[in-house]
Amino acid sequence: MSRSTVYRNLRALEDARQIHAVSIPGQAPRYELARAAASHHHHFHCQRCDRVYELEGCPGGLKGLLPRGFTLEDHTIVLTGKCGACVG
Ligand SMILES: [Zn+2]
Ligand SMILES: [Zn+2]
């Protein structure tokens, strides 16, 4: 399969809500199963091995960062560093 075909197929799956795009700044989009995305979580990007890990939970309280009159609809948190395998 060509790269563009892969992306087209991914897009179709995304439209069908079977997968969910995960945006890591400066990286090509990654995808995870919508089943995993259904429970709100965040991600850790290992800068050494380039793996992306799911993090459970959310620090919350983000509305407090908004200027007056803004509304918050969604957020993405990506922590970066070295994973346990890379540190070890
Ligand atoms: Zn790593
Ligand atoms: Zn969150």
Side-chain angles (χ1 to χ4, degrees), residues 38-81:
S39 65
H40 183 77
H41 66 273
H42 295 294
H43 294 93
F44 177 92
H45 176 222
C46 176
Q47 294 183 303
R48 180 163 291 180
C49 70
D50 208 32
R51 277 190 67 180
V52 174
Y53 296 83
E54 287 183 14
L55 305 176
E56 281 181 32
C58 177
L62 298 171
K63 268 185 191 165
L65 299 174
L66 294 181
R68 186 188 298 273
F70 285 44
T71 62
L72 183 65
E73 292 181 352
D74 197 8
H75 67 261
T76 300
I77 298 175
V78 179
L79 305 181
T80 57

Side-chain angles (χ1 to χ4, degrees), residues 14-49:
E14 191 181 4
D15 289 346
R17 303 251 178 251
Q18 292 178 46
I19 61 168
H20 176 80
V22 178
S23 306
I24 308 285
Q27 302 268 319
R30 295 159 190 264
Y31 294 87
E32 64 188 3
L33 291 173
R35 202 158 12 97
S39 65
H40 183 77
H41 66 273
H42 295 294
H43 294 93
F44 177 92
H45 176 222
C46 176
Q47 294 183 303
R48 180 163 291 180
C49 70

